[in-house]
Amino acid sequence: MDALPQVRRTDGQLADGRAITYYDRPDAPVRSATDLRTDLSVATSSELRWDALVGEWVVVAGHRQERTYHPRASACPLCPSTSDQWTEIPERDYQVAVFENRFPALTATTSAVPSAAGFDAPDGIAGGRCEVVCYSDRHDASAADLDPDRMTLVLQTWIDRTEVLRRDPHVQSILVFENRGREIGVTLDHPHGQIYAYPFVGPRDRAIAERVRTYRERHGRDLHADLIAAEVRSGERVVVADPHWVAFVPFAARWPFHVRIYPLRPVADLTELQPDEISSFAPLYLSVLRALDAVFGRSMPLIAAWHQGATHGDRTGSHAFMEISGWRRGPDRLKYLAGSESAGGVWISDVPAERSAAMLREALIT
Amino acid sequence: MDALPQVRRTDGQLADGRAITYYDRPDAPVRSATDLRTDLSVATSSELRWDALVGEWVVVAGHRQERTYHPRASACPLCPSTSDQWTEIPERDYQVAVFENRFPALTATTSAVPSAAGFDAPDGIAGGRCEVVCYSDRHDASAADLDPDRMTLVLQTWIDRTEVLRRDPHVQSILVFENRGREIGVTLDHPHGQIYAYPFVGPRDRAIAERVRTYRERHGRDLHADLIAAEVRSGERVVVADPHWVAFVPFAARWPFHVRIYPLRPVADLTELQPDEISSFAPLYLSVLRALDAVFGRSMPLIAAWHQGATHGDRTGSHAFMEISGWRRGPDRLKYLAGSESAGGVWISDVPAERSAAMLREALIT
């Protein structure tokens, strides 16, 4: 087992007090630039409202209406700073940089609004944090363009952020994700992802935990493990696999190109990954991203997200995995969430899982 | 209480055997035209797949990839037929027409695919039906342009379709909805809505029923009624009300313009509405639709959907309501579902409910 390349972490602060952290390979320049901006001011009030009818929290963040919206490339806030232009990243170059979102949905001061008549909203829910993870100082790179070492550094960054954020007693779950593509509303082209540390467990992860628990009670077995085993045994929906990871289109795929990437060994969250798992992730993940772009010969609008076990309490049966939703259903057609999906929560899929898996496998080797 | 205007219903059949039903005021022409098309052929295979990880059904309908996509206005399949052009509606004019979708997600032959290893998928789930409801023979009308009598006829149609569809023993829930706006993926401009009769209860309605049940156990009271009473008492999120209906932006609004319209008297589904409730709905609903369009001076992309109680079994605590999601958050900006909403199921709202309610109230009177 090869040793993992080392990471040098440098913690700093932006002019308005937000944290910035650089993740570099050890031979990178020292990170010591000071943010000299004097014009930063943002109201970051946000609040949690309990949707009593459905039993879910909604984050209300009115200040986000003012967030940066499709800036010119020369005004990109995620590029390194230059002598002419201060950005969110004071350094003149960087490898991976993480900072607190200037327009965060959640902050340490986010609190729950008691609904008028008190409708059984859970008590003591407050806080949270939103971070931006910049993958490269090159504005026009995409995650699929990163070299494997940089992608590994990004994974090492996700792991460290998960480790840091889960120490916050208010944080109950951590979603590491990337949105890609103007077609699905991405307002900054620079290659980056985000991390939302929620002060609750979201409905999707709650549903999964509930299913895992029920399955264990009924069968004495692990649902994730049995689903993975069934996919590997059948093979018809597997896109790519290696000794540590498997990527497949799930049997009941929702999006036109829907891929789950699982570490074969169950880990509750990214912090439990071992060195050989970490180093083999990047080549596999990059090959999936490139296949997604190759399917229609153009960039696939997508959301890629790590589902991780709840940060506190019982993590039995948690099995972290990445879920990628690719929204293009044809060269010029997107999947939209219409009445059935949006109002009813019932997904209508136009592309059977076996077909999209075959298209992705074919795109892998071209 | 005025008597409701009468409806004349005429049942017919399209050339390929699909049902068509006309709903007219009694003075309309007799509906007897025959569909003479000979070129209709569509594979309508669809299947239900159980997403064992989340515990939800996904409808897989590969044939829908071929569905009609932004036709020229002169080739609109929802316009009346002419001597030159056969459409889905054989008549030369119509008031309201309902037919089975040519590219349905669900049909009587839809069945559940046993997943490879059987992961506790519910038994005996099959069938369903998808209908298209055309509100007007005018291609360029929108629901907001309808006169109140036509809107009442549309409501009477929804009621009759609910009555008909709930007799099907396979149908467990009925979603009556409209998608409006190319911005959110609508592929036919002609004013129309849809009805999905599902052979199961979707996740959103299941979550609501579960919350209602828990609330009743805990407080001995009805959750819907208490939420409505709290909104009416506070008034700050009420958009418009009359003696039978109230429209408000819910406390934990998810979409930029999110409106729930409730009949004040609890009804499990539309078939329980009484004449005075039916006749007062149209003016109120049209005023909400027009306010949504007026807010930014341009058509609001939206989904409007009736949530109704499950068709069979215990309907205690069911309280039908309409939910409208307006997706425009600024004159030129849409709400998108990004990582938090799409992957995590956690909604981030940019527009506090009180603000959008005030904007809608102001738009009502201009």
Side-chain angles (χ1 to χ4, degrees):
Chain A
M1 180 167 85
D2 294 335
L4 274 177
Q6 287 195 299
V7 181
R8 190 190 65 211
R9 171 177 149 180
T10 314
D11 289 308
Q13 217 173 39
L14 298 177
D16 58 3
R18 284 177 294 138
I20 184 167
T21 303
Y22 298 95
Y23 291 86
D24 290 292
R25 294 296 177 216
D27 55 352
V30 169
R31 305 305 181 188
S32 57
T34 302
D35 180 8
L36 295 176
R37 291 176 293 177
T38 54
D39 56 346
L40 290 179
S41 72
V42 179
T44 55
S45 60
S46 68
E47 57 184 38
L48 301 173
R49 294 191 179 202
W50 178 244
D51 181 344
L53 190 60
V54 186
E56 295 175 5
W57 290 103
V58 172
V59 181
V60 182
H63 60 277
R64 280 175 52 80
Q65 277 280 55
E66 310 309 322
R67 66 188 182 273
T68 311
Y69 186 76
H70 295 304
R72 288 165 294 112
S74 65
C76 174
L78 310 187
C79 279
S81 291
T82 65
S83 47
D84 297 331
Q85 173 100 30
W86 285 97
T87 71
E88 291 285 73
I89 298 163
E91 291 291 326
R92 297 300 166 103
D93 64 73
Y94 65 87
Q95 293 182 349
V96 173
V98 178
F99 59 85
E100 288 182 80
N101 196 320
R102 188 172 167 202
F103 303 93
L106 298 161
T107 71
T109 64
T110 299
S111 61
V113 182
S115 102
F119 287 99
D120 303 334
D123 276 336
I125 307 295
R129 183 164 162 131
C130 293
E131 298 186 335
V132 176
V133 181
C134 299
Y135 301 165
S136 164
D137 58 9
R138 280 184 46 216
H139 181 79
D140 57 352
S142 100
D145 297 327
L146 300 181
D147 67 50
D149 180 65
R150 177 60 58 85
M151 192 67 238
T152 297
L153 181 59
V154 170
L155 175 57
Q156 290 172 299
T157 301
W158 291 336
I159 292 169
D160 190 66
R161 298 319 302 165
T162 300
E163 183 65 51
V164 168
L165 292 168
R166 57 179 284 213
R167 282 186 218 130
D168 181 335
H170 292 291
V171 169
Q172 300 290 328
S173 66
I174 298 170
L175 189 74
V176 174
F177 66 96
E178 176 183 353
N179 306 323
R180 178 158 44 121
R182 289 182 170 227
E183 299 94 331
I184 58 170
V186 174
T187 53
L188 295 174
D189 291 332
H190 197 110
H192 72 287
Q194 299 182 65
I195 301 176
Y196 274 30
Y198 298 106
F200 50 80
V201 177
R204 197 165 159 84
D205 285 330
R206 254 195 296 141
I208 293 173
E210 175 61 23
R211 289 285 308 158
V212 166
R213 195 180 58 75
T214 306
Y215 190 84
R216 184 177 297 277
E217 284 169 8
R218 198 171 295 174
H219 304 284
R221 301 179 52 80
D222 180 62
L223 177 60
H224 289 288
D226 282 2
L227 284 167
I228 295 168
E231 292 295 351
V232 169
R233 202 164 46 237
S234 136
E236 58 180 338
R237 289 174 295 274
V238 172
V239 177
V240 59
D242 75 10
H244 302 291
W245 298 89
V246 60
F248 59 84
V249 179
F251 173 72
R254 294 169 183 235
W255 292 274
F257 289 86
H258 182 175
V259 180
R260 287 185 185 143
I261 303 180
Y262 269 100
L264 291 168
R265 188 178 63 86
V267 297
D269 66 27
L270 294 173
T271 67
E272 296 181 1
L273 288 174
Q274 290 177 349
D276 45 0
E277 293 163 336
I278 294 171
S279 55
S280 71
F281 174 75
L284 181 131
Y285 179 52
L286 290 170
S287 71
V288 171
L289 289 180
R290 287 166 190 160
L292 284 161
D293 286 345
V295 159
F296 295 117
R298 55 188 299 200
S299 177
M300 174 69 72
L302 60 81
I303 296 169
W306 280 105
H307 289 269
Q308 309 196 74
T311 51
H312 306 294
D314 182 16
R315 309 172 105 203
T316 309
S318 294
H319 192 150
F321 66 98
M322 178 181 250
E323 185 155 71
I324 304 177
S325 54
W327 293 68
R328 202 185 285 291
R329 67 180 178 91
D332 298 303
R333 297 188 188 183
L334 294 182
K335 168 73 180 170
Y336 287 93
L337 303 190
S340 187
E341 290 90 356
S342 188
V346 180
W347 286 70
I348 315 294
S349 164
D350 300 321
V351 186
E354 296 73 25
R355 194 194 299 168
S356 58
M359 289 170 79
L360 288 171
R361 280 195 303 266
E362 198 162 322
L364 274 179
I365 51 169
T366 53
Chain B
M1 181 168 85
D2 295 334
L4 273 176
Q6 286 195 300
V7 182
R8 190 189 68 211
R9 171 177 149 180
T10 313
D11 288 309
Q13 217 173 39
L14 298 177
D16 57 3
R18 284 177 294 138
I20 183 166
T21 303
Y22 298 95
Y23 291 87
D24 290 293
R25 294 297 176 215
D27 55 352
V30 169
R31 305 305 182 189
S32 57
T34 302
D35 181 8
L36 295 175
R37 290 175 294 177
T38 55
D39 56 346
L40 290 178
S41 72
V42 179
T44 55
S45 61
S46 68
E47 56 184 39
L48 301 172
R49 294 192 179 201
W50 178 244
D51 181 344
L53 191 60
V54 185
E56 296 175 3
W57 290 103
V58 172
V59 181
V60 182
H63 60 277
R64 281 174 51 81
Q65 277 281 55
E66 309 310 322
R67 67 188 181 271
T68 311
Y69 186 76
H70 295 305
R72 288 164 295 114
S74 65
C76 174
L78 310 187
C79 279
S81 290
T82 65
S83 47
D84 297 332
Q85 173 99 31
W86 285 98
T87 71
E88 291 286 73
I89 298 164
E91 291 291 327
R92 297 302 165 102
D93 65 72
Y94 65 88
Q95 293 182 350
V96 173
V98 178
F99 59 86
E100 288 181 80
N101 196 319
R102 188 171 167 201
F103 303 93
L106 297 161
T107 71
T109 63
T110 299
S111 61
V113 183
S115 104
F119 288 99
D120 302 335
D123 275 337
I125 307 294
R129 183 163 162 131
C130 293
E131 297 186 336
V132 177
V133 181
C134 300
Y135 301 165
S136 165
D137 58 8
R138 280 184 46 214
H139 181 79
D140 57 353
S142 100
D145 297 326
L146 299 181
D147 67 50
D149 181 65
R150 178 59 58 84
M151 193 67 237
T152 298
L153 181 59
V154 171
L155 175 57
Q156 290 173 299
T157 301
W158 291 337
I159 292 169
D160 190 65
R161 297 320 301 166
T162 301
E163 184 65 51
V164 168
L165 292 167
R166 57 178 286 213
R167 282 187 217 130
D168 181 335
H170 291 292
V171 168
Q172 299 291 329
S173 65
I174 298 171
L175 189 74
V176 173
F177 66 95
E178 176 183 352
N179 305 323
R180 177 155 46 119
R182 289 182 171 229
E183 299 92 332
I184 59 170
V186 175
T187 54
L188 295 174
D189 290 332
H190 196 110
H192 72 288
Q194 298 182 66
I195 301 176
Y196 274 30
Y198 298 106
F200 50 80
V201 177
R204 196 163 160 86
D205 285 329
R206 254 196 295 140
I208 293 173
E210 174 62 23
R211 289 285 308 158
V212 166
R213 196 180 59 73
T214 307
Y215 190 83
R216 183 175 298 277
E217 285 169 7
R218 199 171 294 175
H219 305 284
R221 301 178 51 81
D222 180 62
L223 177 60
H224 289 288
D226 282 2
L227 284 167
I228 294 168
E231 292 295 351
V232 169
R233 202 164 47 237
S234 136
E236 59 179 336
R237 288 173 296 274
V238 172
V239 177
V240 58
D242 75 10
H244 302 291
W245 299 89
V246 60
F248 59 84
V249 179
F251 173 72
R254 295 171 180 232
W255 293 275
F257 289 86
H258 181 175
V259 180
R260 287 185 186 144
I261 303 181
Y262 268 100
L264 291 168
R265 187 178 64 85
V267 297
D269 64 28
L270 294 174
T271 67
E272 296 181 2
L273 288 175
Q274 290 176 349
D276 46 359
E277 292 163 337
I278 294 171
S279 55
S280 71
F281 174 75
L284 181 131
Y285 180 51
L286 290 170
S287 71
V288 171
L289 289 180
R290 287 167 190 159
L292 284 161
D293 286 345
V295 160
F296 295 118
R298 55 188 298 198
S299 177
M300 174 70 71
L302 61 81
I303 295 170
W306 280 105
H307 289 270
Q308 310 196 75
T311 52
H312 306 295
D314 183 15
R315 310 173 105 203
T316 311
S318 295
H319 192 150
F321 66 97
M322 178 182 250
E323 185 155 72
I324 304 177
S325 54
W327 293 69
R328 201 184 287 293
R329 67 180 178 90
D332 298 303
R333 297 188 189 185
L334 294 181
K335 167 72 179 170
Y336 287 93
L337 302 190
S340 187
E341 290 91 355
S342 188
V346 180
W347 286 70
I348 314 294
S349 165
D350 300 322
V351 185
E354 296 73 25
R355 194 194 300 168
S356 57
M359 289 170 78
L360 288 171
R361 279 196 303 267
E362 197 164 324
L364 275 180
I365 50 167
T366 53

